Amino acid sequence: MSSFATILHKDLRLELRGGQSTITLNILSLLILTVLTFALDAPSRSSLLAAGALWVAMIFAGLAGATQAMVSEWENECIRCLLLSPADRGAIYAAKLVASFIFMTVAQITSLFLMVFFFDLNFDMRIVRLAPVLMMGAMGFASLTTLLAAIQAQIKTGELLLPLLTVPVFIPALISGVKATQAALAGLPFAGFAQWLKILGACDLLFLAGGYLLFEQVVSED
Amino acid sequence: MNTAQLEARQVSKIFGVLPVLRCIDLRVNRGEGALIVGRNGSGKSTLMRILAGLSRPSSGQALLFGEPAHSLGPQQRCRISLVSHRSFLYPRLTARENLEFYARLYRVTDYQYVVEKLLDRVGLGSFADEPVFAFSRGMEQRLTIARSMMTEPEVLVMDEPFAALDAEGIDIAAELVRDALQRGCAVVMTAHDPHQLRHLAFISYSLENGRLVMAHFGSDSEGRKPRPAAAG
Amino acid sequence: MKNRAGQNSIGPNWASWFGLLTVLLVSWALFMVFVYVPTEAEQGIVQRIFYFHVPCAWVAFAAFGLVAIAGFFYLRFGQKIWDDLARAAAETGMLFCSLVLITGSLWARPIWGTWWTWDSRLTTTLVLWLLYAAYLMLRAMAEELPQVGRLAAVVGIVAAADIPVIVISVRLWRTIHPAVIITRQGRHGLEDPRMIATLLVAFAAVTVLWIWLLMLRFSILRTARRLTELGGGLAELRARLSEQEPKRGRQILDLQSR
């Protein structure tokens, strides 16, 4: 477990130093939510639209964040040294995943507040009930993008590849996430959207298992 | 005990259709050094990556401690170190942070002391807390060499370790390599100019057209370079 | 791999026999769809597109399964032949997936009164199409990388593993808004045994057509790979001969084609 902690610590330190991804992610979320408010004609108190906007912000900010997190690893081919080191491949994947999960969560908290302001909602228990939904969404998204961003990082002309790869695969999680968010914002209890949480959980498990098992195939050299 | 620390058996590597390496045989025992000289694009870097276990040969075997290099366990991976043409350093971390990160990853005990000592040794003591992106190419290379020595490896694979180093830097690096050899480390190194290494007793090979041949260009036999290094 | 051309890849004989079978089956299916089977009472003539639409959908899914399986074998055993198979399956699968969307749209216009609706099946097919598109885009962008096969295999496997979750989530998503569409779709109006017979023949015809196309594409990919290998071997041999080492050149050539 120690190599996991070492890599995670390094990623968090890099982040605190440059602050690139978190700040970029937050500003990007703000931007996306602003654009959506205009595009949807400033809909007041519409929890349906708010839920959608929140997930759009999460996906696009998350894509940008995942790209940056992997770029740092490929810049001087540090990833090769990680592979040569005694660190287990699974530990490398897990560390990158947890780092990007943390950055996404930070950005999500910002977008959540922005959403409440922009869409004129109230801070109450409904927002709290959103927490597990958003956490699970971020978990699935981070585990998927950590795998796929490693693919993108190797392709020189592939800046736009990550959204192409990620979004279709993420669709089931997106559907269930948006549905669960809408239900939570509408004030339903957990039981009311349990089926969506189950699907979201299934997606998380699938992406996690896929990422964990296939990460080595993606990062190793021919 | 007949297993060499590092061994290549009939290693070939083909990229697409281009054979880069052809049936390379190489053995390096404890405390021995091998120097591989070749032009740019002769496949030296590819060979180094295969020997370190990063890349797989298309055919043949690369062995470290008698085991296939690309499937070493964590214990064995601790015992090798690679200096590649890419620095493996995080530009946004400081010199010290970079070394400490790798030291912890390699489970070096008492790493703060080791890092401090090595930074002084390569002459970067006063730049320890500068971020690497502010470093010149030569400073980065010194740090890279410090990183590779930190774990006291038993096998050291170095791809152009003296590139971008000034005369002082080369002396420091050569001294570190000599210490490693005395410790019993097996060293394999590439260079395009063998004369930088004249004070290291290395067995010299040259890599030409993907094949490894014995070469003689030590301190005594000046000037028998296989081909001018500038080409390509 | 010193055998003659055609022995280690699917040669012209195989393909032409299969081609003949395809032509026969497709003609038979066309005959049944346009002449033999009675017109469905409610939907009229448009319903006949359904006999091609459904088999195409099955093929699109089967092809994706093959992409994942071949990808898995490629990761497991590393032989390029699996990679070529995965690529051929993805390209042909993309074709049939597009056909599903087009035929579905053509059918939906007169029946549902719209080109597109977010029905669960349509949505699933669209997502499948997007997955194929991503897979093929990756292959196109990473073409020069030696590890392209492995990267593509990873994406193919993740995508295929994702399909069941997609199907479930999209179905649940739509049942929230129950629509006429679902009841309509549920009852395909296959009361007549001739309709069932036609559908079965169409299934066979489209499947065989897919396999034929798959084999053709696969053998082209195999041939292309061998040609580049031979070209490289030849250049290599020439280089060796010019170095007065004919023996070594021969060995390299053998090594290349392994």
Side-chain angles (χ1 to χ4, degrees), chain B residues 22 24-26 36 47 205-207 210-214:
Chain B
R22 296 157 174 159
I24 304 261
D25 280 308
L26 179 69
I36 295 169
L47 180 60
Y205 301 87
S206 86
L207 191 59
R211 207 161 298 125
L212 202 59
V213 288
M214 278 286 222

Side-chain angles (χ1 to χ4, degrees), chain C:
Chain C
M1 256 181 37
K2 284 166 202 138
N3 30 9
R4 304 283 165 273
Q7 278 183 328
N8 53 354
S9 64
I10 297 153
N13 282 333
W14 253 93
S16 49
W17 279 113
F18 222 86
L20 190 64
L21 179 66
T22 312
V23 170
L24 288 175
L25 267 171
V26 170
S27 323
W28 187 19
L30 283 171
F31 168 78
M32 288 190 84
V33 169
F34 286 107
V35 182
Y36 171 76
V37 79
T39 305
E40 210 260 345
E42 250 179 74
Q43 303 179 5
I45 193 94
V46 211
Q47 187 265 343
R48 290 174 197 260
I49 208 169
F50 155 90
Y51 297 112
F52 288 116
H53 175 73
V54 175
C56 283
W58 132 253
V59 163
F61 276 91
F64 221 123
L66 187 57
V67 171
I69 292 167
F72 174 77
F73 280 121
Y74 180 62
L75 292 184
R76 191 82 188 71
F77 304 112
Q79 292 143 330
K80 297 280 185 211
I81 187 164
W82 296 113
D83 189 34
D84 290 334
L85 182 61
R87 186 173 165 189
E91 289 175 359
T92 51
M94 179 71 162
L95 172 70
F96 282 93
C97 196
S98 309
L99 281 177
V100 178
L101 289 175
I102 294 168
T103 52
S105 195
L106 286 176
W107 176 80
R109 181 67 187 155
I111 302 300
W112 292 343
T114 172
W115 292 113
W116 182 261
T117 161
W118 292 96
D119 159 64
S120 68
R121 282 159 222 245
L122 287 184
T123 312
T124 309
T125 316
L126 179 67
V127 177
L128 190 66
W129 194 91
L130 288 172
L131 289 172
Y132 271 125
Y135 179 89
L136 291 174
M137 285 300 289
L138 167 65
R139 293 210 78 117
M141 283 183 178
E143 213 173 359
E144 278 96 58
L145 289 180
Q147 69 267 34
V148 56
R150 266 190 295 120
L151 302 183
V154 166
V155 172
I157 291 169
V158 170
D162 201 35
I163 288 176
V165 198
I166 293 175
V167 171
I168 294 170
S169 64
V170 169
R171 193 171 293 160
L172 272 173
W173 179 56
R174 280 293 89 172
T175 47
I176 300 293
H177 306 273
V180 230
I181 298 152
I182 286 159
T183 46
R184 279 264 201 131
Q185 277 253 325
R187 171 169 76 79
H188 284 304
L190 288 180
E191 295 87 8
D192 198 312
R194 283 177 293 176
M195 290 183 173
I196 296 166
T198 309
L199 185 61
L200 288 177
V201 173
F203 253 104
V206 172
T207 309
V208 169
L209 175 66
W210 169 54
I211 294 173
W212 183 51
L213 289 176
L214 180 73
M215 280 164 52
L216 285 179
R217 186 69 189 119
F218 177 62
S219 67
I220 288 171
L221 289 172
R222 291 302 295 161
T223 313
R225 200 184 281 279
R226 276 182 56 203
L227 263 181
T228 37
E229 280 173 359
L230 286 175
L234 204 64
E236 175 64 23
L237 190 60
R238 202 174 292 140
R240 305 255 47 82
L241 283 170
S242 67
E243 271 184 36
Q244 304 291 312
E245 283 187 55
K247 238 175 106 187
R248 287 298 277 239
R250 181 73 226 162
Q251 283 175 0
I252 300 295
L253 198 60
D254 289 348
L255 187 109
Q256 287 251 315
S257 48
R258 200 177 296 153

Side-chain angles (χ1 to χ4, degrees), chain A residues 105-141:
Chain A
T105 309
V106 172
Q108 267 184 340
I109 292 170
T110 316
S111 349
L112 194 63
F113 277 100
L114 288 172
M115 179 195 76
V116 172
F117 286 129
F118 284 13
F119 288 82
D120 197 17
L121 306 172
N122 294 322
F123 285 102
D124 50 23
M125 270 311 286
R126 291 181 298 176
I127 305 296
V128 178
R129 231 177 270 136
L130 269 183
V133 181
L134 295 183
M135 298 268 270
M136 284 168 86
M139 194 66 200
F141 199 78

Side-chain angles (χ1 to χ4, degrees), chain A residues 31-45:
Chain A
L31 219 57
I32 293 168
L33 283 169
T34 314
V35 167
L36 282 172
T37 316
F38 290 132
L40 303 171
D41 204 12
S44 176
R45 296 188 180 275

Side-chain angles (χ1 to χ4, degrees), chain B residues 134-167:
Chain B
F135 278 21
S136 71
R137 183 73 190 86
M139 289 160 81
E140 210 177 316
Q141 190 63 22
R142 287 182 182 208
L143 191 59
T144 304
I145 288 170
R147 176 191 56 72
S148 70
M149 296 297 179
M150 199 166 49
T151 55
E152 303 210 337
E154 290 168 52
V155 168
L156 194 49
V157 179
M158 305 176 104
D159 189 8
E160 300 275 5
F162 301 142
L165 288 181
D166 54 14

